[in-house]
Amino acid sequence: MELKSIMEKFANSGWELIAVPAKQWLNGKGDKETLISAIKQADNECGSCGCEFDPLYKRALELLG
């Protein structure tokens, strides 16, 4: 449930990098490795900017691991 909530936030983020793979995952069509790769890239690019998504990247990776 927590992971689904995080993916819904990513899907509605407007940032294609994480929105597209998150939407695919929510629709049952996503590849887990592609999703993990996108979240890692998002965390690297934006994971310490102070926005609400910063802790979500790390938590999503924990839950997917």
Side-chain angles (χ1 to χ4, degrees), residues 6-57:
I6 293 171
M7 289 305 143
E8 288 170 348
K9 284 189 179 202
F10 289 169
N12 293 316
S13 69
W15 189 14
E16 194 172 312
L17 173 65
I18 57 171
V20 171
K23 285 177 188 172
Q24 291 172 342
W25 184 89
L26 287 166
N27 291 328
K29 299 176 182 172
D31 176 67
K32 183 178 173 182
E33 294 308 313
T34 301
L35 178 61
I36 289 172
S37 177
I39 295 170
K40 284 181 178 177
Q41 183 177 343
D43 188 36
N44 285 339
E45 290 182 21
C46 182
S48 60
C49 73
C51 76
E52 67 174 309
F53 292 99
D54 290 354
L56 297 181
Y57 301 135

